[in-house]
Amino acid sequence: MEVKELNKGKEAYKQMSECCDQLVASGNWQRVGKSDIRLFLDMYVQALLLKLAMAGGTPDRSLLVYIATVPSRDILQIGKATPEQALNIGFKNRSFAEGTPLLLRCCQAMDDKDGTNSAQKFVDALSRLLYAAAEVDGDLDGKELQFITSYAGALRTFLLTRAAGRHAGTQEQIRVDVPGGTKQAESKQTEGAKKSEPEEKTADELVAELDSLIGLNGVKKEVHTLINLIKVRKMREEHDLKVMDMSFHMVFTGNPGTGKTTVARLVAKIYKQLGFLSQGQLIETDRSGLVAGYVGQTAGKVTEVVNSAIGGILFIDEAYALARKGMDNDFGHEAIDTLVKLMEDHRDDLVVIVAGYTDLMHDFLTSNPGLISRFNKYIDFPDYTDEELMGILEMNAKKQGYKVSEEAQQVIRDMLKSMTISDRMDFGNARGIRNTLEKLVQEQANRLAKTEEKITREMLQELTEADAKAALYGEQVSDDAQAEADDKAAKLGEQAGAQADTSSGEQTGDPAVPSGEQTDTPEATTPEEPDSCQ
């Protein structure tokens, strides 16, 4: 084990602790004192380091010792765990390491209020903590590096966005203060928006769109049952028959990228067309949109979000993050309590859908006695199969005017088959395949930018094997694939030329063709010039 890296990690943790102490001293962390915030920090640090370990595969003993000893307390008892047990602990507690950490958001709020620089210090220390962990076994591999740069980069983007937002807010205030100007502009924008609004789809068209989604057969069946139930309830009302009092709030379980948000958006529109909801909008939020950083603010924040969703569907993604175990003083519980009351108050014109990992949603639903009784419909979204993911890839490519060659498709299939369970979790199902398509398009642009020949319409549409290998494995592999493709094209060109020469000989009196006899061979075998004018 690299003792030097262990000491680096402890030093980085110390700086993060100092940021937490500053939060408590300034009054910006309104909890039960320093012990509580340290508990939160230790849970977050260990959960994040375990997520790093999952990215690198099975962790060795040196990394587990690092995870157990760097924080002030071994909250998750990693020191006693085997590598397999540690990965399981990390999987169960991964919600602590997802999204923008609460501690960082509080640091940023303190910086905005007091003019301090704690958020930047927190992210810098966190980055050093992760790098030291990755190098504690003496080897920083590519997957660990990718995780660190991606995670730390996202946090730095958060800081930059907040800084840009403060600047934009100042500019907006200056613009708003111009008498009459803003209202007139808003009025013109509203009129223009009304003119350009597309016609709403009918219920049948929306149901057909749902049915056209790739995979999700069990999900479609459940949604059809709900639609039929609403239709029959409406018929009973028209015949002055009693309608059973029912809850239409739902729980969507499944991994990221399995279509939960897409289906929720369609359900909102279908419910509107059936007259069950008045507006049909879908309001998407998560923990960060419901939980505030100070005492007394969370209830108001939840109320504001719920009010914006009345007449439609409120979709709460990663809802389990509101009910974190061991965090009884966390404001997430206040958000849940407020949500339960508002769900009952607006049950006639509001549907709430909570979504998240299957094994973590139980903790959320049992966190409040009145919560689980509000939900009586559970729909599970299974992971997509490889063939379904390939179908999604082709469908999205076609929508954007691209065609993925068979060779490129095979490269992507091989990549999917080679994935471990951890790789699958990181890939993100349909979300991952959409990202793959974007990478293919980027690599196609890089390839075409280097070509010296005239670029045709077909070349602009095709995503090749070289593009796939460049997107998934790097430039050197793609260069080899491109050279192989060029060799194939050259050989095909030589064959076509030879056939053309043979055809020409036949036309000029080849003895193999009787005099005066017609043949269509030349017309059939002469290669056509690609049409570059379309």
Side-chain angles (χ1 to χ4, degrees), residues 42-54:
D42 292 345
M43 287 286 288
Y44 167 66
V45 166
Q46 288 200 316
L48 182 62
L49 290 174
L50 285 170
K51 196 168 184 181
L52 171 66
M54 292 171 67

Side-chain angles (χ1 to χ4, degrees), residues 136-256:
V136 76
D137 60 354
D139 180 32
L140 173 62
D141 68 33
K143 289 185 177 179
E144 290 173 331
L145 179 61
Q146 182 179 7
F147 174 85
I148 294 171
T149 54
S150 176
Y151 186 82
L155 297 188
R156 295 187 193 282
T157 300
F158 165 77
L159 297 182
L160 291 171
T161 303
R162 285 292 297 265
R166 289 193 298 272
H167 175 73
T170 304
Q171 299 298 318
E172 182 69 13
Q173 184 64 44
I174 294 171
R175 185 184 67 82
V176 168
D177 288 341
V178 178
T182 302
K183 290 184 178 180
Q184 291 175 5
E186 287 177 352
S187 177
K188 290 180 180 178
Q189 288 175 356
T190 303
E191 291 176 7
K194 288 181 179 179
K195 291 179 182 177
S196 61
E197 280 181 1
E199 291 185 8
E200 291 185 351
K201 293 181 179 179
T202 65
D204 290 340
E205 289 173 333
L206 292 166
V207 170
E209 187 175 341
L210 171 70
D211 291 338
S212 70
L213 297 176
I214 293 173
L216 304 177
N217 292 330
V219 174
K220 295 172 186 175
K221 183 179 178 181
E222 294 284 0
V223 174
H224 273 282
T225 298
L226 288 169
I227 293 170
N228 293 337
L229 179 60
I230 290 171
K231 286 180 177 178
V232 172
R233 283 168 63 90
K234 193 171 183 181
M235 292 177 190
R236 289 180 63 88
E237 288 175 349
E238 291 172 353
H239 286 81
D240 296 324
L241 294 172
K242 289 184 178 180
V243 176
M244 185 182 295
D245 191 18
M246 296 178 65
S247 169
F248 282 83
H249 304 304
M250 291 180 277
V251 179
F252 284 4
T253 56
N255 289 323

Side-chain angles (χ1 to χ4, degrees), residues 105 144 229 282 475 486 488:
R105 294 200 301 272
E144 290 173 331
L229 179 60
L282 180 77
E475 187 174 356
D486 291 342
K488 287 181 180 179

Side-chain angles (χ1 to χ4, degrees), residues 279-471:
Q279 308 257 355
Q281 79 276 25
L282 180 77
I283 302 299
E284 301 174 43
T285 190
D286 56 13
R287 177 189 165 89
S288 65
L290 298 172
V291 177
Y294 302 97
V295 171
Q297 293 181 341
T298 293
K301 197 170 183 181
V302 174
T303 302
E304 182 180 346
V305 173
V306 170
N307 286 341
S308 71
I310 293 174
I313 289 180
L314 175 61
F315 182 82
I316 306 175
D317 199 12
E318 297 177 354
Y320 53 80
L322 292 170
R324 290 170 167 167
K325 282 189 174 181
M327 296 292 149
D328 295 333
N329 297 296
D330 178 64
F331 296 140
H333 295 280
E334 181 185 350
I336 293 172
D337 294 343
T338 306
L339 180 65
V340 169
K341 181 181 183 303
L342 293 174
M343 286 170 65
E344 184 63 27
D345 292 346
H346 303 289
R347 64 180 302 170
D348 293 333
D349 200 20
L350 173 70
V351 171
V352 176
I353 299 177
V354 292
Y357 294 107
T358 304
D359 56 340
L360 295 178
M361 288 303 289
H362 178 264
D363 294 339
F364 166 73
L365 293 169
T366 56
S367 63
N368 181 294
L371 187 60
I372 195 167
S373 63
R374 300 289 190 277
F375 297 93
N376 64 357
K377 194 66 178 176
Y378 296 76
I379 301 180
D380 185 59
F381 287 69
D383 289 340
Y384 288 106
T385 65
D386 289 355
E387 286 308 309
E388 287 170 346
L389 288 173
M390 293 305 300
I392 293 170
L393 176 73
E394 291 184 68
M395 177 186 70
N396 288 337
K398 186 177 180 181
K399 285 181 179 178
Q400 301 300 323
Y402 291 97
K403 180 181 179 183
V404 185
S405 71
E406 292 183 6
E407 294 81 6
Q409 290 183 39
Q410 189 57 50
V411 171
I412 298 168
R413 281 195 183 90
D414 292 341
M415 179 269 293
L416 292 173
K417 289 178 182 177
S418 67
M419 281 185 174
T420 63
I421 295 176
S422 177
D423 292 335
R424 283 280 185 178
M425 292 295 298
D426 293 337
F427 186 70
N429 284 285
R431 195 174 301 160
I433 210 69
R434 285 195 297 270
N435 292 338
T436 299
L437 177 60
E438 290 179 7
K439 291 178 182 177
L440 288 174
V441 171
Q442 291 171 10
E443 293 304 332
Q444 183 216 44
N446 290 334
R447 175 174 56 81
L448 293 179
K450 297 176 184 177
T451 188
E452 296 180 358
E453 61 182 300
K454 188 172 183 179
I455 297 176
T456 65
R457 179 186 179 89
E458 288 75 15
M459 291 169 68
L460 291 168
Q461 291 176 313
E462 186 179 29
L463 300 173
T464 67
E465 179 185 12
D467 300 330
K469 288 186 174 180

Side-chain angles (χ1 to χ4, degrees), residues 8-41:
K8 283 183 181 179
K10 289 183 176 181
E11 186 61 33
Y13 173 83
K14 181 181 177 182
Q15 184 170 334
M16 295 170 71
S17 299
E18 291 172 354
C19 292
C20 292
D21 293 344
Q22 191 177 359
L23 276 174
V24 174
S26 68
N28 286 281
W29 182 269
Q30 303 293 338
R31 295 254 183 0
V32 295
K34 186 179 296 186
S35 60
D36 183 60
I37 197 170
R38 287 294 180 87
L39 171 67
F40 209 100
L41 174 65

